[in-house]
Every structure is written in structure tokens, then in C-alpha cells.
Amino acid sequence: MTDTTSYVPPAVWQPAPSGGAFASINRPVAGPTHDKELPIGKHPLQLYSLGTPNGQKVTIMLEELLALGHAGAEYDAWLIRIQEGEQFSSGFVDVNPNSKIPALLDRSGEQPVRVFESGAILLYLAEKFGAFLPKDPAARTETLNWLFWQMASAPYVGGGFGHFYAYAPEKFEYAINRFAMETKRQLDVLDRRLAGQRYLAGSDYTIADIAVYPWYGGLVQNRLYSAAEFLSAQDYRHVNRWAEDIAARPAVRRGQRVNRIRGDEASQVPERHDASDLD
């Protein structure tokens, strides 16, 4: 380790400028910063999101449901520019008090239902439409095991490895090594699991795969932090096989384009209000 520091934590922490890509929106309190209502479109499901890995989980799920013929899964996808603080509007906070994308509002019933946290949205949609979640108790439990594994593990990849490797204003060897080690351990967990079966919960594609793919598929396919070489991603051959399998699904390709505002222009669909927006 080459990093040295003379920093000694004070008795009581006080906020200080942190720098980095998200410094302008980081704050130690919750709640709205400004009043603004969210837009409402014509479809039963209103999604407020951004094409990050967490956002992609939900748009992939919705496109998969539509591909199965579930017309009730038609949705409006509204862009939330998190680096401009749009997640702190009063309307967004009403849907998700944690001010994180994605957030879903289901207006198909007598009263709107809000759903926040990407894993909760996947589970809600799977139960609502009876798809991508096995009915067999053992298979259902295994699916939920991996869904909640992803929800618990990804903060180490995004908030830890991704932050210090890609976004922090300085490169800190200790922090990068710490989170790279954990990220590689997680990839090894997946690789061992996928060595003996096609998908995470067994032979069927489920919400577990939909949740895990945007993060770990993104890592091994070098779409996340451009870190595949750094992490020796080619070594995780079962994860790579699984990622290639999922990447070939038309609904996955469609879902990854929704609320996307980076990359080549042809892949960007900042908002989706009709299926033709993706054609």
C-alpha cells in the first residue's frame, strides 16, 4: 500500500466538500429540495428512472413481460437526471422517499401503488403478471435467494469499487484494492453457481437473472466502469457464457436502451412512451 494520510476522524463528523462525479448531489439528509410534480403518461405503469444498472433491471423486466404478451405491462419511462438532482423533487420523493432510481407508480387499480427499490419492483411485477418467478416453493426460494444476494452485494460493486475505481477525484490504492477484491469474490460466487446450470435459479430465466445481469454482466462485458481487463473478467467463463446468453435476448437489448443518455446515439432512448420509440 502506498497511500498515506494524516486524517484523524473528529469526535463529531461534519459535511465537507468531497469532489468526484456526484459531489453536487451528495448530502447527509433526505427529503425534497424543490417542488415539482412528476409527469403522468397514458399507460398503467409509470416508471421514473435512468439507464444505470439498477434502472435497466426494471426496463428489461417490462420489455420481457411485453414480449410474453402481457399488454398490462405497457409503460411510460420518464427520465430522471440524477446528476441534476431531479430525484430530489417533491413528486419523486412522494414515490420514493429514499430519492433513488428506479421508482414505479402502478395506476392500473383504483388507487395508485408506489413501488421503490429495484428488487421490490421486480418482485412486484413478477407477482402481478405471474412471470419470471417459479411457482414451485423450492425454485421460488432459490430465485429470491439470488435476487436478494444481488441487492445486498451490488453496493460493494457500485458504491465501492465503481466509486473509487471510476468516479472518485483521486485514486486511492487501499480503497480500490479492498473493493476490487470483494468484486472479484462476488464474480467467483456467480461463476461457481453458473458452472452447473444455465441460469441462477436453475434451468429457467427468472427475475434473479434480470437483477444480476446489468451489474455483473456489465462488468464481464466491459460495459461497466471499463474494468473488465482490470478485474481479469475473462477468467469467469461461466459468468461470461451466462451474460452472452442473456445479452442475446431481444427484450434485454430493448430494455437496455430505455432511459439511456450515454454511449452511441443510436442506443439512446431517453424516454419511452410507446413500443415504437424503440423501433
Side-chain angles (χ1 to χ4, degrees):
M1 301 297 174
T2 58
D3 296 334
T4 60
T5 178
S6 59
Y7 175 70
V8 176
V12 178
W13 180 84
Q14 294 294 328
S18 60
F22 298 96
S24 64
I25 60 170
N26 288 337
R27 62 194 187 116
V29 296
T33 60
H34 58 285
D35 289 326
K36 184 178 180 180
E37 294 300 311
L38 290 174
I40 299 291
K42 63 182 179 180
H43 295 305
L45 300 174
Q46 301 294 303
L47 177 66
Y48 306 96
S49 192
L50 181 66
T52 66
N54 284 333
Q56 289 174 32
K57 296 177 195 176
V58 180
T59 50
I60 288 172
M61 177 66 169
L62 290 167
E63 292 296 330
E64 291 280 16
L65 289 168
L66 291 171
L68 284 181
H70 293 286
E74 274 292 351
Y75 68 103
D76 290 277
W78 302 93
L79 181 65
I80 300 295
R81 297 173 178 84
I82 61 174
Q83 287 188 295
E84 297 177 21
E86 293 181 349
Q87 70 275 31
F88 300 118
S89 73
S90 57
F92 191 91
V93 173
D94 283 345
V95 180
N96 184 356
N98 196 38
S99 292
K100 303 289 185 181
I101 62 93
L104 181 73
L105 195 63
D106 183 354
R107 295 171 55 85
S108 62
E110 292 185 7
Q111 296 293 328
V113 176
R114 73 176 189 183
V115 196
F116 59 90
E117 290 296 326
S118 57
I121 296 173
L122 292 182
L123 182 57
Y124 177 83
L125 292 172
E127 291 182 331
K128 179 181 177 73
F129 293 102
F132 304 114
L133 181 62
K135 293 181 172 58
D136 173 73
R140 174 188 169 89
T141 299
E142 189 66 14
T143 300
L144 295 181
N145 286 341
W146 289 103
L147 173 65
F148 290 114
W149 174 87
Q150 189 280 322
M151 295 296 292
S153 299
Y156 284 94
V157 178
F161 175 72
H163 176 78
F164 286 107
Y165 182 78
Y167 301 132
E170 299 178 59
K171 302 299 183 188
F172 297 101
E173 183 181 0
Y174 175 83
I176 292 173
N177 284 346
R178 169 67 181 86
F179 287 107
M181 183 180 297
E182 175 60 15
T183 299
K184 286 179 68 65
R185 189 194 69 80
Q186 291 177 20
L187 286 167
D188 192 50
V189 169
L190 288 175
D191 205 58
R192 291 169 185 266
R193 174 63 180 170
L194 292 165
Q197 56 205 359
R198 185 177 183 185
Y199 296 115
L200 285 169
S203 59
D204 294 330
Y205 175 70
T206 69
I207 55 174
D209 302 287
I210 294 172
V212 173
Y213 170 74
W215 281 102
Y216 300 88
L219 280 174
V220 300
Q221 294 181 322
N222 208 38
R223 290 180 287 100
L224 194 59
Y225 314 130
S226 298
E229 180 180 8
F230 180 76
L231 294 171
S232 300
Q234 74 280 354
D235 293 347
Y236 306 101
R237 59 189 184 92
H238 303 296
V239 178
N240 276 277
R241 183 270 308 159
W242 166 85
E244 290 171 7
D245 191 5
I246 294 177
R249 298 177 67 92
V252 171
R253 294 198 297 268
R254 290 172 69 85
Q256 286 182 300
R257 295 170 59 207
V258 179
N259 293 147
R260 184 179 176 87
I261 56 174
R262 293 184 178 181
D264 66 282
E265 191 171 339
S267 71
Q268 298 180 30
V269 182
E271 291 192 354
R272 186 266 194 209
H273 303 290
D274 189 85
S276 62
D277 293 338
L278 289 159
D279 295 334

